[in-house]
């Protein structure tokens, strides 16, 4: 197994699947999943930006806090799941060298060889194993940004459900929101368009007299829960 997948893959798989107090059955399918993830993780070196999206900073510091607690409580599988989710998440956002360095530090107890190689490629002279463990900066955790992201995520889920029920493949999507959420949805139109495979996305405040609303859907809009019409 080590010859085929590498030591880091085996180590991380065992820590992912095995709780100290439970037995587990070996799974070649499971180890291949970890192998694919580590390849994706290594590819994060290719997408560095000069700046971070604010939401990335917030999620990174929450991640540091969670992984630190999980390791202290021997919940290695939970720590690895969180690292995997964050790693896949930032591929769709801007993140800089500092974010990736901290992420490499977090994965280093589970995949030390890849961590050392990536740390060197990030132009660090010291070994990752000798670096200080990262500390969460509570001031950079922005719950408002996290909540706004969740609102958009739920709206995308609702649109895709309506598409499925209505059997509409490539719709024009109309979204009706309370006035104070207009900017949030307007700023995320492209994300909504891409995630729902819509031809176009139009966002209206419910009090906009010029809105296109043939089915009078705007009356159903609620805080954090927009009304939706697909054409």
């Amino acid at each position: 197994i080590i010859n085929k997948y590498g030591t880091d893959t085996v180590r991380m798989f065992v820590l992912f699947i095995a709780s100290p107090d439970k037995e587990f059955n070996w799974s070649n399918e499971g180890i291949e999943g970890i192998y694919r993830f580590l390849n994706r993780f290594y590819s994060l070196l290719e997408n560095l930006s000069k700046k971070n999206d604010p939401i990335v900073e917030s999620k990174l510091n929450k991640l540091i806090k969670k992984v630190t607690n999980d390791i202290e409580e021997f919940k290695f599988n939970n720590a690895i799941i969180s690292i995997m989710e964050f790693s896949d998440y930032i591929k769709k956002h801007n993140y800089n060298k500092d974010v990736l360095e901290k992420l490499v530090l977090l994965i280093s107890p589970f995949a030390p060889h890849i961590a050392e190689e990536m740390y060197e490629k990030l132009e660090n002279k010291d070994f990752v194993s000798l670096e200080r463990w990262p500390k969460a900066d509570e001031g950079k955790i922005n719950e408002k940004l996290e909540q706004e992201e969740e609102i958009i995520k739920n709206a995308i889920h609702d649109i895709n459900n309506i598409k499925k029920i209505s059997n509409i493949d490539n719709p024009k999507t109309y979204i009706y929101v309370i006035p104070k959420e207009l900017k949030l949805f307007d700023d995320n139109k492209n994300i909504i368009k891409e995630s729902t495979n819509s031809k176009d996305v139009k966002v209206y405040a419910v009090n906009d007299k010029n809105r296109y609303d043939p089915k009078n859907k705007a009356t159903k809009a609620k805080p954090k829960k927009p009304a939706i019409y697909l054409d």
Side-chain angles (χ1 to χ4, degrees):
I1 295 292
I2 288 173
N3 288 337
K4 185 175 181 179
Y5 296 105
T7 309
D8 278 351
T9 303
V10 178
R11 175 187 176 92
M12 193 166 177
F13 175 68
V14 171
L15 293 171
F16 174 75
I17 203 70
S19 297
D21 58 341
K22 295 179 182 177
E23 295 182 356
F24 76 97
N25 293 320
W26 186 266
S27 164
N28 282 351
E29 184 179 337
I31 200 166
E32 285 171 3
I34 295 293
Y35 179 72
R36 289 193 298 270
F37 164 71
L38 287 175
N39 279 282
R40 293 199 307 274
F41 187 84
Y42 191 81
S43 72
L44 291 172
L45 288 166
E46 301 168 5
N47 302 309
L48 288 175
S49 177
K50 291 184 178 179
K51 62 178 183 178
N52 299 318
D53 290 343
I55 189 72
V56 169
E57 288 277 6
S58 178
K59 286 183 174 291
L60 173 66
N61 284 282
K62 287 181 78 171
L63 178 71
I64 292 170
K65 193 173 178 181
K66 183 178 186 304
V67 170
T68 301
N69 290 337
D70 284 341
I71 290 175
E72 288 174 352
E73 295 175 6
F74 301 101
K75 296 178 180 178
F76 302 130
N77 57 332
N78 290 345
I80 291 169
I81 289 169
S82 297
I83 290 170
M84 293 171 79
E85 289 175 347
F86 180 79
S87 302
D88 289 337
Y89 175 84
I90 63 172
K91 276 185 171 287
K92 300 176 183 178
H93 294 79
N94 292 316
Y95 61 92
N96 66 10
K97 177 183 171 183
D98 181 62
V99 167
L100 188 52
E101 282 178 347
K102 288 176 180 173
L103 185 56
V104 168
L105 282 165
L106 293 179
I107 205 173
S108 62
F110 311 108
H113 302 88
I114 286 175
E116 291 291 359
E117 185 173 340
M118 291 179 70
Y119 208 61
E120 182 182 358
K121 286 186 177 294
L122 289 166
E123 301 177 349
N124 291 286
K125 294 181 181 179
D126 294 328
F127 291 111
V128 70
S129 55
L130 300 177
E131 290 289 359
R132 290 181 180 272
W133 187 253
K135 289 185 178 180
D137 185 344
E138 299 279 353
K140 289 183 179 178
I141 296 176
N142 190 327
E143 295 294 348
K144 182 183 177 184
L145 279 178
E146 303 258 359
Q147 290 167 5
E148 288 177 347
E149 184 182 58
E150 192 65 24
I151 291 170
I152 298 299
K153 184 178 175 182
N154 289 338
I156 289 169
H157 177 74
D158 289 344
I159 292 167
N160 284 327
N161 274 343
I162 295 169
K163 276 178 59 184
K164 189 175 180 180
I165 293 168
S166 306
N167 201 24
I168 300 174
D169 219 8
N170 191 217
K172 288 183 179 177
T173 300
Y174 298 89
I175 301 173
Y176 312 98
V177 301
I178 62 172
K180 72 175 185 178
E181 292 177 1
L182 181 62
K183 186 178 185 307
L184 169 63
F185 277 87
D186 218 32
D187 289 345
N188 285 277
K189 278 197 301 186
N190 288 337
I191 292 173
I192 296 170
K193 181 179 178 181
E194 182 181 337
S195 301
T196 60
N197 193 32
S198 295
K199 285 181 187 174
D200 194 17
V201 174
K202 297 286 186 183
V203 181
Y204 296 102
V206 293
N207 58 356
D208 185 346
K209 294 179 181 178
N210 297 316
R211 69 179 184 267
Y212 177 74
D213 188 13
K215 298 291 186 180
N216 200 27
K217 293 283 186 179
T219 56
K220 297 184 179 181
K222 298 177 181 178
K224 302 180 182 180
K225 189 76 172 175
I228 297 162
Y229 173 64
L230 304 185
D231 200 358

